[in-house]
């Protein structure tokens, strides 16, 4: 995982996800939801009080998340309580935090819905974010050797791209900042919005494999990429350093990721050919990259659709805490994928992402990247029907 500004990682033991999810399913029980649902007021009470409609995840996934953060939330003394004086259980705290993150509603509205004051919602949500940083990082990691074999197999089977390891893309988390803030200008992006950048590497299952966030919207993709640990490891030969694949006619391909024309063409990062009147081979290569790139666009669009706290324009957010909230949203999205949450298959999704942002072309091209792209283009052209 790349740098997340404001976050400091501490060591923790490994967790067996399948075993933990199975164990967690037996905790909490239906009694908690029966009691909690009776507390729901406001606009939420007008809807069917189904667990899935309130939290947009299954009960199995909810119980697993509770199991991850239980020790941290129980280990810290607190006096968090509902308006009637009843103290919040671990399930109560997770429910409040998940509703805040998934709905994007104000602290006041979430508090009204669940019968507590807004300061309690704020504190509970932040404690949950801190606990997830500590306990869920194993859900956002670079693939193991076997996982990478599966990833490369999917990229080749679906899009015909041999030895491809992922797709890189970026999005803007928009903010409303005070004009009095002397540092606000640096957060103004090329569309004249205040925003924070999230750059991510995505696998074919729309899982986040590496992220960089916290940088101001005025920065384009190249300097954000260069700031990442992923970039530095690739430049040192410590990442995307797996076996080279031999292709027909003496061609070969090292491991690489793909990106759109906003990114530089590097030995390990392939981007589309630019210009008009491209050859059939180059046009075909661009089509393959574009089709595979949709995976990252959908992943980022779904992230924002699922965790609406980062979808709209955030009102004067804490710029030191926001990167950590973004990280936790990515962790939660991966957990939903890892547990194959059935609710996600039932939700309507938008495939559009930041449609108001125009592409900024990057003309940086490394010679080794040019060579690899040409070889892959030649290989793909040989597979075209006559």
């Amino acid at each position: 995982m790349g740098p997340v500004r404001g976050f400091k990682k501490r060591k923790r033991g490994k967790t067996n996800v399948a075993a933990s999810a199975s164990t967690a399913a037996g905790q909490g029980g239906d009694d908690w939801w029966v009691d909690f649902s009776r507390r729901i007021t406001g606009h939420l009470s007008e809807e069917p009080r189904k667990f899935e409609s309130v939290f947009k995840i299954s009960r199995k996934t909810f119980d697993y998340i509770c199991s991850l953060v239980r020790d941290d939330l129980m280990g810290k003394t607190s006096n968090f309580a509902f308006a009637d004086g009843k103290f919040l259980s671990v399930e109560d705290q997770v429910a409040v935090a998940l509703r805040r993150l998934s709905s994007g509603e104000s602290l006041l509205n979430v508090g009204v819905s669940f019968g507590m004051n807004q300061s309690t919602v704020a504190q509970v949500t932040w404690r949950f974010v801190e606990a997830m940083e500590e306990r869920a990082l194993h859900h956002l990691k670079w693939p193991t050797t076997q996982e990478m074999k599966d990833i490369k197999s999917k990229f080749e089977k679906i899009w015909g791209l041999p030895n491809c390891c992922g797709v890189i893309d970026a999005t803007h988390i928009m903010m409303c900042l005070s004009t009095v803030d002397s540092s606000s200008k640096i957060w103004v992006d090329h569309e004249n919005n205040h925003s924070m950048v999230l750059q991510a590497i995505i696998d074919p299952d729309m899982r986040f494999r590496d992220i960089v966030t916290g940088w101001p919207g005025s920065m384009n993709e190249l300097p954000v990429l260069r700031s990442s640990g992923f970039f530095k490891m690739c430049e040192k030969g410590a990442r995307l350093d797996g076996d080279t694949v031999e292709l027909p006619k003496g061609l070969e391909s090292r491991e690489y990721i793909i990106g759109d024309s906003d990114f530089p063409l590097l030995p390990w990062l392939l981007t589309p050919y630019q210009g008009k009147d491209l050859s059939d081979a180059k046009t075909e290569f661009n089509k393959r990259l574009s089709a595979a790139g949709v995976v990252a666009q959908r992943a980022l669009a779904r992230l924002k659709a699922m965790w609406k706290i980062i979808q709209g324009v955030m009102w004067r957010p804490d710029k030191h805490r926001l990167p950590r909230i973004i990280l936790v949203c990515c962790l939660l999205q991966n957990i939903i994928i890892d547990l194959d949450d059935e609710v996600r298959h039932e939700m309507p999704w938008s495939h559009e992402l930041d449609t108001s942002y125009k592409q900024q072309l990057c003309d940086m091209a490394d010679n080794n990247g040019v060579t690899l792209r040409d070889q892959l283009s030649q290989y793909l052209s040989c597979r075209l029907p006559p």
Side-chain angles (χ1 to χ4, degrees):
M1 185 180 69
V4 176
R5 302 179 77 194
F7 167 66
K8 293 183 179 180
K9 181 178 176 182
R10 285 186 282 182
K11 293 183 179 179
R12 61 175 303 276
K14 293 183 178 179
T15 302
N16 185 309
V17 176
S20 296
S22 176
T23 302
Q27 298 180 0
D30 294 332
D31 290 344
W32 167 78
W33 171 241
V34 171
D35 179 64
F36 188 84
S37 63
R38 288 173 182 159
R39 296 180 175 276
I40 297 177
T41 60
H43 72 92
L44 275 183
S45 64
E46 300 170 3
E47 304 172 9
R49 297 191 186 187
K50 288 185 60 178
F51 180 90
E52 293 80 4
S53 66
V54 175
F55 300 109
K56 314 303 181 187
I57 60 174
S58 69
R59 186 59 191 273
K60 179 187 76 170
T61 301
F62 176 85
D63 289 340
Y64 172 69
I65 293 170
C66 288
S67 75
L68 287 178
V69 299
R70 186 173 301 278
D71 290 345
D72 288 57
L73 297 187
M74 290 180 64
K76 297 179 181 178
T77 57
S78 68
N79 295 315
F80 300 139
F82 292 99
D84 62 6
K86 181 181 180 295
F87 290 112
L88 272 65
S89 67
V90 169
E91 285 74 18
D92 294 332
Q93 294 179 56
V94 173
V96 169
L98 288 178
R99 179 63 191 179
R100 166 74 170 139
L101 296 175
S102 65
S103 70
E105 293 176 350
S106 67
L107 297 171
L108 177 61
N109 284 348
V110 175
V112 168
S113 294
F114 296 147
M116 62 186 66
N117 63 54
Q118 57 184 336
S119 65
T120 299
V121 176
Q123 293 177 68
V124 165
T125 301
W126 186 246
R127 276 186 46 164
F128 173 78
V129 167
E130 291 181 317
M132 286 293 292
E133 287 178 322
E134 289 295 317
R135 302 298 175 184
L137 279 181
H138 56 288
H139 283 283
L140 203 167
K141 59 183 179 60
W142 193 246
T144 64
T145 301
Q146 184 55 52
E147 288 172 339
M148 187 58 82
K149 286 181 180 179
D150 295 339
I151 287 171
K152 292 193 285 190
S153 175
K154 288 181 180 179
F155 272 112
E156 182 161 21
K157 182 178 180 181
I158 300 172
W159 297 288
L161 298 171
N163 230 15
C164 181
C165 301
V167 185
I168 188 170
D169 206 343
T171 187
H172 289 259
I173 311 300
M174 287 190 278
M175 309 179 290
C176 180
L177 299 181
S178 170
T179 55
V180 178
D181 185 350
S182 59
S183 67
S184 65
K185 290 183 179 179
I186 195 174
W187 298 93
V188 178
D189 57 39
H190 64 277
E191 294 295 333
N192 207 32
N193 299 313
H194 288 102
S195 68
M196 181 177 288
V197 177
L198 165 62
Q199 195 172 94
I201 298 173
I202 313 292
D203 72 15
D205 297 316
M206 292 188 282
R207 188 181 284 105
F208 290 82
R209 288 298 186 172
D210 191 280
I211 70 167
V212 182
T213 190
W215 296 105
S218 59
M219 293 176 63
N220 60 31
E221 276 78 350
L222 180 55
V224 174
L225 175 63
R226 281 176 167 165
S227 77
S228 69
F230 178 82
F231 177 90
K232 293 164 186 172
M233 291 182 71
C234 287
E235 291 296 290
K236 292 178 181 177
R239 183 137 294 175
L240 297 177
D241 58 340
D243 294 337
T244 297
V245 170
E246 293 185 4
L247 304 175
K249 297 185 177 181
L251 303 175
E252 62 180 20
S253 171
R254 59 163 292 166
E255 287 186 341
Y256 60 91
I257 60 173
I258 62 173
D260 60 27
S261 298
D262 290 356
F263 290 92
L265 175 62
L266 300 172
W268 44 267
L269 170 52
L270 300 187
T271 58
Y273 289 98
Q274 298 181 26
K276 300 179 180 180
D277 301 323
L278 298 175
S279 66
D280 289 344
K282 292 179 179 180
T283 299
E284 177 65 19
F285 178 84
N286 283 1
K287 286 181 180 178
R288 302 286 182 107
L289 252 66
S290 178
V294 171
V295 168
Q297 295 171 18
R298 288 179 175 176
L300 290 167
R302 289 189 176 193
L303 177 76
K304 288 186 172 184
M306 183 69 192
W307 308 104
K308 290 186 172 61
I309 193 168
I310 60 172
Q311 183 186 54
V313 180
M314 300 191 70
W315 178 255
R316 298 187 182 180
D318 184 325
K319 295 187 289 293
H320 300 289
R321 288 189 171 189
L322 180 54
R324 300 167 68 180
I325 292 173
I326 295 170
L327 166 62
V328 168
C329 290
C330 293
L331 293 173
L332 289 167
Q333 192 69 5
N334 278 4
I335 287 173
I336 291 171
I337 296 171
D338 290 342
L339 297 187
D340 194 22
D341 191 307
E342 62 271 18
V343 176
R344 75 186 176 108
H345 301 299
E346 301 169 3
M347 293 185 64
W349 297 106
S350 169
H351 296 159
E352 296 184 347
L353 175 68
D354 292 347
T355 53
S356 63
Y357 280 79
K358 298 176 183 177
Q359 196 173 58
Q360 291 186 304
L361 299 181
C362 178
D363 57 5
M364 176 180 171
D366 180 277
N367 289 335
N368 290 328
V370 171
T371 300
L372 176 57
R373 184 172 65 178
D374 287 344
Q375 288 190 342
L376 283 175
S377 175
Q378 182 181 347
Y379 163 71
L380 293 173
S381 69
C382 294
R383 302 181 67 190
L384 288 172

